Amino acid sequence: PTNERLKSYQTEFNISDRFFIGQTIRDIVTCQEPMVTDTGIDKGSPKAAAEAVWSIHHFAKVGVEYAIVETLLTLVVQNESHVYVSRVLLELTRLEPKLFATSIAAAMNTLFEDYMPSLSIAARSNLSRWFAFHLIHTDYQWPASYWTLWAEYKSDSRTTFVLETLQILLENVNSPATIIKECLPQDSVWVDQLLKLRDTPAVPDA
């Protein structure tokens, strides 16, 4: 079935729309970054940032969630200190689960297929850490079809991205069985890769 919201984003958002929304999101995220004032008052939070970012939908066109995800993932890729932005994305997923689960999956698949080979090692590593964080905090909910599609790529930066993600997941569970049962599709080739990683201290750079 046609995703009307994605279609709207692709056809109705021109360059000026995307620039304006992207800049607005960056400003909001910067302003809402957690800090303690000189008087000891806590200001800002990922949840407050997410709520402020999502308020954009009141005046934006249908499909603005795709612009939001695109902007935030760009910040993740560019910024080594991306834990805060990762939490903003997570809070948006909790705020509007259906919309953001769909838009994040679409954005990740586009990044994987079209842009992963051009990313620097540092940028790819940032993306792997974000993706692992997202999986852990959403109970490993991810379309099984994407894992299957990603397995078709052999020995390139895309494979390294998945292996780096699996390595991080391994570091956050007591047993690989958790990832095998809750995250990966049954009989996935990534299960074998996960078990090989179990005793590997690090994933070599591609």
Side-chain angles (χ1 to χ4, degrees):
T2 302
N3 183 332
E4 295 296 337
R5 297 186 70 89
L6 176 57
K7 183 179 179 181
S8 173
Y9 175 59
Q10 293 170 333
T11 59
E12 300 297 326
F13 285 69
N14 58 36
I15 294 175
S16 296
D17 292 331
R18 298 184 189 202
F19 175 81
F20 172 74
I21 291 172
Q23 191 58 55
T24 301
I25 292 167
R26 287 179 174 87
D27 290 344
I28 291 171
V29 168
T30 299
C31 290
Q32 292 292 344
E33 188 164 5
M35 63 170 291
V36 179
T37 67
D38 294 338
T39 55
I41 298 174
D42 291 329
K43 293 187 65 177
S45 71
K47 184 176 181 181
E51 290 172 348
V53 166
W54 183 234
S55 69
I56 292 172
H57 84 279
H58 291 298
F59 62 83
K61 300 170 185 175
V62 171
V64 69
E65 66 272 14
Y66 290 90
I68 292 171
V69 170
E70 183 179 288
T71 300
L72 293 179
L73 286 181
T74 298
L75 293 177
V76 166
V77 168
Q78 294 175 343
N79 187 0
E80 292 183 8
S81 303
H82 57 73
V83 174
Y84 164 57
V85 178
S86 299
R87 291 188 177 279
V88 174
L89 265 169
L90 180 62
E91 291 295 341
L92 283 164
T93 304
R94 291 170 173 168
L95 194 62
E96 290 288 344
K98 185 176 180 179
L99 292 181
F100 281 96
T102 301
S103 54
I104 287 173
M108 263 305 302
N109 202 50
T110 298
L111 268 172
F112 185 89
E113 293 200 10
D114 298 337
Y115 297 102
M116 194 67 69
S118 65
L119 293 181
S120 67
I121 291 173
R124 188 188 64 217
S125 179
N126 286 343
L127 199 60
S128 293
R129 290 199 295 271
W130 163 75
F131 188 43
F133 173 89
H134 186 78
L135 290 174
I136 291 167
H137 289 88
T138 56
D139 297 325
Y140 304 104
Q141 295 181 38
W142 194 252
S145 59
Y146 286 4
W147 291 112
T148 302
L149 175 64
W150 293 354
E152 296 178 4
Y153 294 90
K154 307 295 183 183
S155 302
D156 66 5
S157 58
R158 298 177 181 90
T159 302
T160 304
F161 161 76
V162 178
L163 294 178
E164 288 178 337
T165 301
L166 293 176
Q167 182 72 55
I168 296 167
L169 292 177
L170 273 174
E171 294 168 359
N172 286 274
V173 295
N174 294 323
S175 168
T178 301
I179 303 170
I180 294 170
K181 292 178 181 179
E182 299 182 25
C183 184
L184 299 174
Q186 188 175 7
D187 300 323
S188 170
V189 298
W190 295 117
V191 172
D192 291 335
Q193 294 291 338
L194 180 75
L195 295 176
K196 290 178 183 178
L197 286 171
R198 181 172 43 186
D199 301 316
T200 303
V203 180
D205 293 327

